Amino acid sequence: MAKLGVNIDHIATLRQARRGQEPEPVTAAALAEMAGADGITIHLREDRRHIQDRDLRLLRETARTRINLEMAPTQEMVKIALDIKPDMVTFVPEKREELTTEGGLEVKLAKEDLGKYIRLLHEGEILVSLFIDPDIDQVKATHKAGADYIEIHTGRYAEARNKREEDREFNDIFNTVKIASKLHLGINAGHGLDYWNIKRLLQIDEIEEFNIGHSIIARAVMVGMERAVKDMVEVIKTGVSKNF
Ligand code: PXP
């Protein structure tokens, strides 16, 4: 069965709306773990728009599962990761004006920096994943750069407007997974996934973990964190979305 990583950034987004103390992302992480999450993902953005440095520090002290730290490939972020030691770093492209991560990394263009940062993180015994579009050249470049995992950007699949577009995006993901698997890369996937569109991706056995944020937190606002996470675990386990 595929694993579930819960991205709790939006708990911090709500807190930062008032720059106060509530809701507490670390509490949300603990509830997600109690409800069956296999890991917690946070994105420490350069502009600190949601997750703050103290969230990462506290999460490192309290998390019972694994921490996947999403971050831009910069010296500042690598230094923070080597200090706090998440279990995995996922490098993502970052633009200040974007609402959320909009595309995968251009691994070839950034291969020197990425290679250097991957080596440093490996010396710190941190696994490294690269967030890439479902594209075979990006997988090959990720392998060359020495990363352990890819995380496939599922945004285009999630946003497909009709069956034909969805089929095309699904096939791109499927083919990318097969190549990554041949290259012995670990495979995660995420972005834009919800209680319904995840089902088709569950057919791809090689996907180890799904990283899901917005849809779980949106549901948690209505029904609570534990229930929202349990519902997603159930979809992953059964491949069935009930009429939620
Ligand atoms: N994976 C990566 C690399 C991301 O940047 C994000 C969004 O922060 C997610 C997964 C989760 O996406 P969503 O919030 O749409 O589920």
Side-chain angles (χ1 to χ4, degrees):
M1 180 179 139
K3 297 192 174 103
L4 172 64
V6 176
N7 180 317
I8 55 164
D9 292 350
H10 289 309
I11 301 289
T13 302
L14 197 52
R15 177 192 61 193
Q16 294 310 109
R18 289 290 167 93
R19 306 245 189 283
Q21 293 182 312
E22 298 179 320
E24 171 57 64
V26 172
T27 307
L31 289 170
E33 290 181 324
M34 285 164 69
D38 299 289
I40 302 297
T41 294
I42 56 175
H43 185 173
L44 185 66
R45 293 186 72 102
E46 292 183 280
D47 61 9
R48 306 300 198 270
R49 73 168 72 151
H50 40 51
I51 292 292
Q52 306 295 305
D53 297 62
R54 65 68 93 177
D55 300 330
L56 174 59
R57 275 198 308 277
L58 283 180
L59 190 64
R60 180 65 289 174
E61 284 179 28
T62 55
R64 295 290 193 191
T65 58
R66 289 173 289 108
I67 301 175
N68 172 31
L69 175 62
E70 289 176 12
M71 59 187 217
T74 66
Q75 266 181 2
E76 182 208 2
M77 288 296 156
V78 170
K79 193 159 171 285
I80 291 171
L82 287 170
D83 182 30
I84 305 288
K85 303 254 176 166
D87 300 271
M88 179 182 277
V89 159
T90 300
F91 281 122
V92 299
E94 217 175 271
K95 292 192 220 109
R96 292 217 169 216
E97 59 290 1
E98 70 193 354
L99 287 179
T100 179
T101 318
E102 279 168 4
L105 286 164
E106 282 296 339
V107 181
K108 252 199 234 161
L109 292 182
K111 68 173 189 275
E112 261 138 51
D113 276 350
L114 284 170
K116 183 174 72 187
Y117 295 149
I118 291 168
R119 279 193 297 281
L120 283 169
L121 292 166
H122 279 167
E123 279 166 23
E125 297 183 356
I126 300 168
L127 288 168
V128 183
S129 177
L130 303 189
F131 187 52
I132 57 170
D133 289 327
D135 177 308
I136 287 166
D137 287 341
Q138 298 295 348
V139 176
K140 289 183 181 159
T142 300
H143 179 248
K144 266 204 183 138
D148 309 284
Y149 276 75
I150 56 168
E151 178 173 334
I152 299 184
H153 193 315
T154 51
R156 286 206 314 254
Y157 163 80
E159 281 162 22
R161 285 163 304 177
N162 53 49
K163 179 81 172 64
R164 209 172 50 130
E165 272 185 28
E166 190 193 293
D167 288 349
R168 192 186 60 212
E169 299 303 334
F170 179 84
N171 287 336
D172 283 352
I173 293 172
F174 186 87
N175 294 331
T176 303
V177 165
K178 295 296 161 187
I179 301 284
S181 174
K182 277 204 181 123
L183 293 171
H184 304 292
L185 287 161
I187 301 159
N188 298 329
H191 212 282
L193 297 179
D194 62 26
Y195 295 80
W196 296 273
N197 64 20
I198 190 175
K199 277 188 302 182
R200 194 168 177 192
L201 297 183
L202 296 171
Q203 296 166 15
I204 309 178
D205 289 338
E206 292 89 343
I207 299 179
E208 229 173 86
E209 182 161 301
F210 293 97
N211 281 320
I212 307 179
H214 188 269
S215 68
I216 292 179
I217 304 305
R219 176 173 296 237
V221 169
M222 301 294 174
V223 302
M225 194 71 193
E226 286 195 66
R227 166 85 187 277
V229 173
K230 277 189 179 148
D231 285 348
M232 187 60 84
V233 170
E234 174 142 342
V235 177
I236 293 175
K237 194 154 124 193
T238 61
V240 179
S241 313
K242 287 182 298 197
N243 232 350
F244 287 122

